[in-house]
Amino acid sequence: MNGLIDGRIRIACAAWLATVAAASALLPLVDGSDWMVQAAILLGAQTLVGLALRWRGLHPALTVGAQVAASLVLLTVVLAPDYATFGLLPGPQVFEQFGLLLRDGAEDIGHYVAPAPATDGIRMMVFGGVLLIGLLVDVLAVTARSAASAGLPLLALYSVAAGVAQEGPGWPYFLLAAAGYLVLLLAEGRDRLNRWGRFFAGHGPPQGAPAAPRAVPVGPRARTGRRIGVLTLGVAVLAPAALPSLGEGLLDLDGGRGTGRGGSGDVISVNPVVALQDQLNQQQDRAVLSYRTTSAEPSEMYLRLIALDEFTGQEWRSSRWYENRVPEAPWPVSGLSEEVATTAVTTTVEVADYYAQNSLPVPYPATSVETNGQWLFDRGTQTLVTNQRGRTSAGASYEIQHLLVRPTAAQLAEAPPPSQELTDYYTRVPGDLPQEVAATALGITSSAATDFDRAVALQDWFTTDGGFRYDTSVASGSGTQAIVNFLQQREGFCVHFAFTMAAMARTLGIPAQVAVGFTPGTRQPGGAYEVGVHNAHAWPELYFQGVGWVRFEPTPGQGNAPSYTRPQESEPTEQDPEEEQEEVVPATPSPSEGPTPTDPCQRDGNAAGCQEQQQTPESDRREAGVPIWPIIWGGGGLLLALLVAAPPLWRARTRARRLRDGDHGPLPAWRELLDSAWDFGITPLASETPRQAADRIVTVAELPAEPAAAVHRVADAVERALYAPAGSAAPAASETRGAPAAADTRAALAGLRGTAGRWARVRASLLPRSAIRVMYGLAARRAAAADRLRGLVPR
């Protein structure tokens, strides 16, 4: 009975681990990682309830019912405590709230793109799903004792991530899920061995192993199963890399066709990257928003949705540089100097009810946004974002205060270099970016003298000199090789031009990112401007100290080229009468830390731009705190290192204790000799006498004469100590003391090392086989502790 309970405990723990491993594939789908830790804790509590009730001998059906009740209580405490009785017990209001959360979660899945924010609705779906799958796995593996069948719900959980994620959850998550399932199978296999025994082809516990009545060591068949499982996982992970495949390249923007449509089919969610091609190819240019503005240059009213500042080689993505509190107006503008002409502009935006995004499209640079509700501040895009349940841009109405920045070509050409931290962050390119990209950029800009001249040369090459053609039907890819394909084929749409120009600018040392949003739209009879899905656009932005992020337009026939990039337009000699009435406002000033004559941000006491431009998402994260995943991976790495180092350290300590001089007799030295031979592959057999064991060690290891004689001397001393009659003459003192036996054991160990091969010596030092004695000892202690506990607690 005790062995049965121990086996169920082992299988239940393995079932929990397998479910958590499979649920980790959901990490790419939901932002953050704290929800994963919470889900693992909730699942662990559900598992503990089942273990406790099975230990008490409760009927399986009642055990499952209790686990369901416990899961409902846990979900109530975590997601709906305000609706529960005493904040704990679920009632009618709690179940009504669960229904609302599930509905909101379904809507959030339709509104957001992966990784979606961890709203209450999404958390409800994730927690409930993980607990349900965990319960099914627990019932199949522990109650029904069918671990193989438990793989079906685990596969269903993993398939959710594989089906929703655009490129699958990735091989590390597959490896985790498969390893968890393998652990579950091995746990059940060991339990079967404990209950039914095994064939006599294997040997029992080695000589000297503690007698654990309910702990049967894993035999050869279980070890073979582990080896087969590890080999299978290795083949499953490495084989796809060796097979030929059709790489999609860097710019695979239509891979998922994720338009983000809700259940009604009437919600448009413009995925900033993936769905951009779909939006441009729609036959009907459906309006998504309208705005009114006081800007004197409506052609500059590009509306930013998101700024993509990380180039991973697989994609351009946002670092999600969010702040929980919206700064007080006016918001600081990164790198903007007082010497650059700016005009204050007010724009009011009305968003269509069917347009849902988690960020508000705004012109750059915005200095404040007034709207209802609580929002987060996206510092990288200079707009408001949300991760709250049920809050999107659909039907939103808001007023934007922003600046119309008018740098001159001379100011951009004379801009000093930005800070080293900003340059290092915004000029990163992946290591596998083909050299052709940098070589092409160098060739285009060979005659340019400044970074601004190089940027204009790149823009002109894409729009006029390079022979490119705009085509929204061109398939996009998701690998760096796609940039080379685009440069060779010379056709694509806005994302191809924007991503490629930004990548080329980074290879030239110019900080660059990609903005995604909308072009200004079409003026309506009443004076408002209407923006439709065909206005969806992507453009590169390059950073110039004193001006900030500067827009460029490399896509031919789309949008408009900024005035500072058109050399044919000369500077006006007289001020326009309409411009005399415009209010020119400087960037937000702040105390200077010491002006420098070469940096326009620092002259005249204006250091606001310099202070802002020195910060990047990385520096901001360092101030925000330590993320959880580096801690988890670091702790896991430390634990792995300890596990690897533990066996050789234990063997060294045990060997030193057994062989040190003293009145211990020959038995400790004999145990060390047997274990050392075991480390070199000579497994001890409990049925052998010391003399038989010594003969087998000498024969198998092919020991020379002196080490062989030492082995026999230790065996003879052990036989005299164990089997000599009590009334016989006592042996010499040197034969009963530990020192001579220890010396002979050291001589035998030297012979074993001398006759063993290199790999056998390495294996004996780093992975000693005799370290399994630790597991035997723990099994015996666990069985003894279980007996004591059962004696204390009545049935």
Side-chain angles (χ1 to χ4, degrees):
M1 180 65 182
N2 294 338
L4 180 63
I5 295 177
D6 291 342
R8 287 188 175 182
I9 292 175
R10 188 182 303 111
I11 296 175
C13 294
W16 172 84
L17 179 63
T19 307
V20 172
S24 66
L26 298 174
L27 282 169
L29 304 182
V30 184
D31 188 29
S33 55
D34 57 338
W35 61 269
M36 184 64 202
V37 177
Q38 294 174 356
I41 294 174
L42 294 177
L43 183 63
Q46 176 183 270
T47 302
L48 288 176
V49 170
L51 285 175
L53 296 179
R54 291 188 183 97
W55 179 65
R56 295 295 298 167
L58 195 66
H59 191 275
L62 297 178
T63 300
V64 175
Q67 287 181 288
V68 172
S71 301
L72 291 175
V73 172
L74 293 172
L75 290 176
T76 301
V77 173
V78 173
L79 296 174
D82 297 336
Y83 301 89
T85 305
F86 306 113
L88 180 67
L89 300 178
Q93 291 184 338
V94 170
F95 289 102
E96 182 180 355
Q97 180 66 13
F98 283 169
L100 294 176
L101 288 176
L102 290 175
R103 184 197 64 186
D104 293 340
E107 293 179 355
D108 291 341
I109 292 176
H111 289 166
Y112 298 111
V113 294
T119 63
D120 290 343
I122 291 179
R123 286 157 62 91
M124 174 66 194
M125 300 186 74
V126 171
F127 292 166
V130 171
L131 289 176
L132 177 60
I133 295 297
L135 182 61
L136 292 176
V137 173
D138 187 81
V139 170
L140 291 173
V142 183
T143 303
R145 294 189 174 276
S146 179
S149 300
L152 293 177
L154 292 175
L155 178 61
L157 182 58
Y158 178 81
S159 299
V160 171
V164 175
Q166 298 166 14
E167 298 180 358
W171 69 265
Y173 299 104
F174 165 76
L175 192 61
L176 280 175
Y181 182 50
L182 178 61
V183 169
L184 179 59
L185 293 178
L186 291 175
E188 188 199 36
R190 177 166 182 167
D191 180 61
R192 290 180 183 273
L193 288 175
N194 289 345
R195 288 187 293 117
W196 301 106
R198 58 190 173 201
F199 295 106
F200 287 103
H203 51 76
Q207 184 177 1
R214 280 168 294 276
V216 180
V218 178
R221 289 173 176 255
R223 288 197 296 269
T224 302
R226 288 198 297 267
R227 293 165 184 164
I228 293 174
V230 172
L231 178 62
T232 303
L233 290 182
V235 171
V237 172
L238 298 178
L243 296 176
S245 60
L246 298 177
E248 294 178 342
L250 169 67
L251 303 175
D252 182 20
L253 303 182
D254 61 335
R257 297 290 181 186
T259 59
R261 296 183 182 275
S264 64
D266 196 33
V267 176
I268 295 179
S269 177
V270 179
N271 182 326
V273 177
V274 177
L276 186 55
Q277 185 176 24
D278 289 343
Q279 302 300 324
L280 294 174
N281 285 325
Q282 286 188 13
Q283 295 182 357
Q284 180 182 1
D285 187 14
R286 193 175 187 186
V288 295
L289 61 89
S290 63
Y291 66 87
R292 294 179 179 270
T293 183
T294 62
S295 175
E297 297 183 14
S299 61
E300 293 298 323
M301 284 290 299
Y302 278 63
L303 302 176
R304 262 184 176 191
L305 267 175
I306 193 171
L308 310 177
D309 56 346
E310 291 185 353
F311 184 21
T312 66
Q314 296 297 322
E315 61 178 349
W316 284 82
R317 67 187 182 190
S318 170
S319 60
R320 303 176 70 88
W321 193 3
Y322 295 166
E323 296 180 0
N324 292 329
R325 297 183 60 184
V326 179
E328 294 184 1
W331 298 342
V333 179
S334 176
L336 183 58
S337 167
E338 196 175 52
E339 296 183 0
V340 177
T342 58
T343 303
V345 178
T346 301
T347 300
T348 57
V349 179
E350 298 285 343
V351 182
D353 293 336
Y354 46 79
Y355 170 71
Q357 272 290 342
N358 65 341
S359 62
L360 299 180
V362 299
Y364 177 82
T367 56
S368 71
V369 175
E370 295 183 6
T371 186
N372 297 326
Q374 295 183 352
W375 297 75
L376 306 178
F377 179 59
D378 184 353
R379 190 167 188 175
T381 308
Q382 206 83 358
T383 187
L384 298 181
V385 298
T386 180
N387 60 358
Q388 292 185 2
R389 169 171 49 91
R391 180 174 299 281
T392 66
S393 62
S397 175
Y398 52 97
E399 181 177 281
I400 313 163
Q401 303 294 331
H402 57 103
L403 300 177
L404 176 61
V405 183
R406 295 174 173 175
T408 64
Q411 288 174 325
L412 293 170
E414 297 171 1
S419 69
Q420 190 62 42
E421 181 180 6
L422 185 140
T423 302
D424 292 342
Y425 181 80
Y426 287 101
T427 57
R428 292 177 182 172
V429 293
D432 60 348
L433 184 68
Q435 292 295 327
E436 293 89 335
V437 178
T440 303
L442 287 173
I444 297 169
T445 61
S446 58
S447 60
T450 66
D451 284 347
F452 176 67
D453 294 335
R454 284 185 275 272
V456 174
L458 289 176
Q459 175 181 278
D460 293 343
W461 184 71
F462 281 110
T463 54
T464 57
D465 302 334
F468 286 87
R469 185 173 66 90
Y470 182 82
D471 187 355
T472 59
S473 65
V474 175
S476 52
S478 59
T480 52
Q481 186 61 36
I483 287 185
V484 177
N485 295 338
F486 171 65
L487 293 176
Q488 293 174 349
Q489 298 171 4
R490 305 290 175 96
E491 58 182 8
F493 58 103
C494 57
V495 293
H496 297 88
F497 292 92
F499 289 177
T500 306
M501 178 173 172
M504 296 172 77
R506 288 192 171 194
T507 64
L508 298 174
I510 307 174
Q513 64 182 13
V514 176
V516 180
F518 298 97
T519 53
T522 306
R523 182 181 175 89
Q524 302 301 304
Y529 289 80
E530 185 177 86
V531 176
V533 292
H534 286 180
N535 293 109
H537 192 53
W539 61 93
E541 294 181 340
L542 278 57
Y543 188 89
F544 291 90
Q545 178 72 352
V547 182
W549 290 107
V550 178
R551 177 180 68 87
F552 287 85
E553 187 52 86
T555 307
Q558 302 299 311
N560 62 87
S563 59
Y564 42 80
T565 65
R566 298 194 294 265
Q568 67 275 12
E569 295 186 4
S570 59
E571 297 286 340
T573 57
E574 296 183 0
Q575 189 174 14
D576 194 302
E578 295 182 358
E579 294 182 358
E580 294 180 357
Q581 300 176 1
E582 296 175 355
E583 178 186 3
V584 178
V585 297
T588 307
S590 63
S592 174
E593 297 180 357
T596 58
T598 59
D599 191 341
C601 293
Q602 298 284 357
R603 289 200 288 268
D604 301 327
N606 176 28
C610 295
Q611 286 183 352
E612 291 303 318
Q613 66 88 24
Q614 292 175 356
Q615 294 187 354
T616 63
E618 283 188 346
S619 63
D620 205 46
R621 291 192 192 102
R622 287 195 297 267
E623 298 174 1
V626 182
I628 186 173
W629 274 112
I631 297 177
I632 294 177
W633 287 111
L638 179 60
L639 179 61
L640 180 61
L642 292 176
L643 291 176
V644 171
L649 291 177
W650 178 83
R651 282 295 292 122
R653 179 178 177 275
T654 303
R655 182 180 298 111
R657 175 173 53 81
R658 288 171 173 172
L659 297 182
R660 67 170 173 256
D661 296 339
D663 295 328
H664 300 295
L667 288 178
W670 174 247
R671 293 191 185 99
E672 177 56 34
L673 179 59
L674 291 178
D675 282 356
S676 297
W678 191 5
D679 294 338
F680 284 99
I682 306 174
T683 305
L685 299 178
S687 60
E688 288 182 332
T689 65
R691 186 172 303 178
Q692 291 173 333
D695 291 338
R696 189 163 61 89
I697 291 174
V698 171
T699 302
V700 174
E702 299 180 353
L703 294 179
E706 181 56 33
V711 171
H712 285 295
R713 284 196 297 270
V714 177
D716 292 341
V718 169
E719 287 187 338
R720 283 194 298 270
L722 293 177
Y723 308 123
S728 62
S734 60
E735 296 178 351
T736 59
R737 297 178 62 86
D744 286 334
T745 300
R746 291 190 182 94
L749 296 184
L752 289 171
R753 283 191 294 268
T755 58
R758 178 180 300 177
W759 166 245
R761 292 195 299 270
V762 173
R763 168 69 188 269
S765 299
L766 299 182
L767 298 173
R769 295 176 175 87
S770 61
I772 194 63
R773 292 191 186 276
V774 176
M775 302 303 298
Y776 296 155
L778 292 177
R781 293 176 184 176
R782 184 184 63 185
D787 289 339
R788 289 194 299 269
L789 183 61
R790 294 186 189 94
L792 295 176
V793 181
R795 185 66 183 165

